[in-house]
Amino acid sequence: MAEAVGILEVFGLTTAFVAGDAGCKAANVRMEVFDKNKPANADSLPVPLLVTVKYRGSVADVTAAVEAGEAAAMTMGGVVTKHVIPNPEDGTQKMLKISALDKN
């Protein structure tokens, strides 16, 4: 059985670091590489860059990490969306490795 994945999309890179740190301290999880998204309506957003934090571990740990990360992010830039996938399919797991942060 695959490890669960928790996805937390937040406003801004600093918020992502704080949320990632909070989630890792709250539960026995590890993080996949962050990803970024600059949506078409970026100029109308509070912070024009969305960053996705991805936690891996057991369902209970990932859920706890997402909740802790969300609470931390809400004190900063804010949260766009969150989701926990208990048993990701192989194709989904491959997509977790993709990151636009290392692209220009």
Side-chain angles (χ1 to χ4, degrees):
M1 181 180 215
E3 286 183 304
V5 61
I7 303 167
L8 182 64
E9 190 171 45
V10 301
F11 290 107
L13 188 57
T14 301
T15 303
F17 275 102
V18 171
D21 182 64
C24 287
K25 288 176 178 171
N28 184 25
V29 294
R30 64 182 172 77
M31 286 192 295
E32 295 284 349
V33 64
F34 287 169
D35 199 3
K36 72 174 181 172
N37 180 25
K38 185 171 182 181
N41 67 336
D43 293 337
S44 67
L45 297 175
V47 177
L49 179 67
L50 305 181
V51 180
T52 305
V53 180
K54 298 172 271 186
Y55 303 103
R56 298 301 302 267
S58 71
V59 174
D61 283 329
V62 166
T63 300
V66 169
E67 290 173 2
E70 178 184 27
M74 293 304 288
T75 68
M76 299 186 67
V79 173
V80 178
T81 190
K82 65 179 182 176
H83 192 75
V84 174
I85 304 172
N87 187 19
E89 190 266 336
D90 286 342
T92 302
Q93 293 196 67
K94 289 177 187 173
M95 296 297 291
L96 294 172
K97 305 289 185 194
I98 294 174
S99 174
L101 282 171
D102 59 359
K103 310 284 188 279
N104 290 332

